[in-house]
Amino acid sequence: MDIDIGRNLQTFLSTIDQSKAKLVAVSKTKPVSLVMKAYEAGQREFGENKVQEMVEKHEEMPKDIHWHLIGHLQTNKVKYIAPFVHLIHSVDSEKLLRTIDKEAKKANRVIDCLLQVHIAEEETKFGLSDEEVKLLVSQEVVDSLPNIRIVGLMGMATNTESEEQVKKEFRHLKALFEELKSTVNHARVTMSELSMGMSGDYQLAIEEGSTMVRVGSAIFGQRNYSA
C-alpha cells in the first residue's frame, strides 16, 4: 500500500503548535523518492543519523533543504558534512566540537551546533553532563572555536511507558537551557533551540518547552531497519 507522505505530513503538523516547535522530518533509511514527496509537500528540515546517507541525499536532492545530523557523529566523518550541514544536534564531546570548528574553517563556514545532554536513565545514550555543558559554553572554550555557534541543547528521554519519568527528564533539560540562556553572555552562544521529542514523546516534549521535534514514522511509516 502506498504511503501518502503529503497527507501524513499535514496530519502530523496539525497535531503540534508550529509556533512553538518546528518539525525535523527524520528521513533516515528512507529512499530519496519518499523523502522527495515530503519535500514536495513543503517540508524543508530533514534529519539523518548517518553521515554517508546524508551526503548521498544532499547530492541528489534540492539545495534549499536544511540537513540536520541527529545521530552520533564520529570525528573522522565531520569533514564530509561540514560544507553543507545546517545543524548538528549531537555534539557530545569537546573533541568533536573542536573537530567541527576545524572542518568548518576549511569550508569557510560557521556551523550551528546543539550540545547533546545525557538526560535518560539508560546508559547506552550518548551525551554530556550538565557540568560538561557549562564548560563547553564558557568564554574560554567558545573564544577558541570561531567557526562554531552553539545555538541550543538536545536530549533524548528514557524509553519508558512512564510519562512522569519522561517529563522529569525534559524538565531537567529545559531548566539547564534556561539557566544557560540567562547566564552565558557570548555572541556565539544563543540558546535558541531546544531539540527534544521523537515519535513516541514529542507531545510531552512540546509541553515541556521543546522548539524542535525529530519525527519520522508518523510521516514516512515505520523504519526500514534492514537498510
Side-chain angles (χ1 to χ4, degrees), residues 175-189:
L176 177 62
F177 177 80
E178 292 297 339
E179 179 186 345
L180 297 176
K181 186 187 280 191
S182 64
T183 58
V184 179
N185 183 19
H186 197 291
R188 283 182 288 101
V189 181

Side-chain angles (χ1 to χ4, degrees), residues 40-123:
E40 287 160 3
Q43 182 65 21
R44 293 295 181 270
E45 315 282 334
F46 291 95
E48 289 286 333
N49 262 36
K50 295 182 178 176
V51 165
Q52 184 178 349
E53 192 175 348
M54 190 163 106
V55 169
E56 289 170 357
K57 285 175 180 167
H58 170 257
E59 288 173 355
E60 289 187 50
M61 294 182 67
K63 296 302 177 275
D64 61 337
I65 289 173
H66 289 164
W67 291 103
H68 297 247
L69 197 286
I70 61 174
H72 180 61
L73 178 58
Q74 295 170 292
T75 53
N76 64 344
K77 300 283 182 68
V78 174
K79 59 189 174 187
Y80 300 112
I81 62 172
F84 69 89
V85 66
H86 177 69
L87 180 61
I88 297 173
H89 290 231
S90 48
V91 176
D92 59 3
S93 71
E94 183 174 346
K95 181 184 177 186
L96 177 56
L97 198 61
R98 291 196 178 279
T99 303
I100 295 167
D101 177 73
K102 183 179 75 174
E103 296 299 337
K105 184 176 182 181
K106 290 179 187 174
N108 197 29
R109 296 186 67 208
V110 175
I111 294 179
D112 287 350
C113 299
L114 303 179
L115 301 180
Q116 181 173 351
V117 187
H118 189 285
I119 58 171
E121 288 190 342
E122 294 131 324
E123 288 302 313

Side-chain angles (χ1 to χ4, degrees), residues 1-225:
M1 190 173 83
D2 284 342
I3 302 168
D4 190 334
I5 304 285
R7 187 170 68 183
N8 287 354
L9 182 63
Q10 295 310 315
T11 299
F12 177 80
L13 289 174
S14 71
T15 72
I16 67 173
D17 183 344
Q18 294 176 61
S19 68
K20 292 180 179 176
K22 63 174 75 80
L23 167 67
V24 176
V26 179
S27 48
K28 62 181 183 180
T29 79
K30 301 303 176 187
V32 167
S33 57
L34 274 189
V35 184
M36 275 304 299
K37 289 182 179 178
Y39 176 87
E40 287 160 3
Q43 182 65 21
R44 293 295 181 270
E45 315 282 334
F46 291 95
E48 289 286 333
N49 262 36
K50 295 182 178 176
V51 165
Q52 184 178 349
E53 192 175 348
M54 190 163 106
V55 169
E56 289 170 357
K57 285 175 180 167
H58 170 257
E59 288 173 355
E60 289 187 50
M61 294 182 67
K63 296 302 177 275
D64 61 337
I65 289 173
H66 289 164
W67 291 103
H68 297 247
L69 197 286
I70 61 174
H72 180 61
L73 178 58
Q74 295 170 292
T75 53
N76 64 344
K77 300 283 182 68
V78 174
K79 59 189 174 187
Y80 300 112
I81 62 172
F84 69 89
V85 66
H86 177 69
L87 180 61
I88 297 173
H89 290 231
S90 48
V91 176
D92 59 3
S93 71
E94 183 174 346
K95 181 184 177 186
L96 177 56
L97 198 61
R98 291 196 178 279
T99 303
I100 295 167
D101 177 73
K102 183 179 75 174
E103 296 299 337
K105 184 176 182 181
K106 290 179 187 174
N108 197 29
R109 296 186 67 208
V110 175
I111 294 179
D112 287 350
C113 299
L114 303 179
L115 301 180
Q116 181 173 351
V117 187
H118 189 285
I119 58 171
E121 288 190 342
E122 294 131 324
E123 288 302 313
T124 54
K125 296 277 198 308
F126 294 99
L128 300 155
S129 68
D130 291 14
E131 292 70 30
E132 288 169 324
V133 169
K134 290 173 185 178
L135 177 67
L136 291 188
V137 298
S138 67
Q139 181 146 359
E140 182 183 7
V141 172
V142 181
D143 279 349
S144 70
L145 301 168
N147 289 83
I148 61 99
R149 191 163 38 223
I150 297 172
V151 299
L153 304 177
M154 183 270 258
M156 289 185 278
T158 301
N159 184 12
T160 174
E161 294 295 311
S162 169
E163 287 193 1
E164 282 310 309
Q165 175 75 21
V166 172
K167 284 182 180 180
K168 184 178 79 171
E169 291 166 0
F170 285 153
R171 278 180 200 143
H172 174 90
L173 189 59
K174 178 65 156 62
L176 177 62
F177 177 80
E178 292 297 339
E179 179 186 345
L180 297 176
K181 186 187 280 191
S182 64
T183 58
V184 179
N185 183 19
H186 197 291
R188 283 182 288 101
V189 181
T190 62
M191 289 295 135
S192 56
E193 298 292 355
L194 185 56
S195 173
M196 58 186 195
M198 300 188 291
S199 292
D201 57 20
Y202 70 88
Q203 287 170 318
L204 295 177
I206 293 171
E207 286 173 22
E208 299 302 334
S210 175
T211 70
M212 195 175 274
V213 294
R214 312 177 302 274
V215 174
S217 56
I219 298 152
F220 298 108
Q222 291 307 306
R223 290 182 207 151
N224 176 7
Y225 285 102

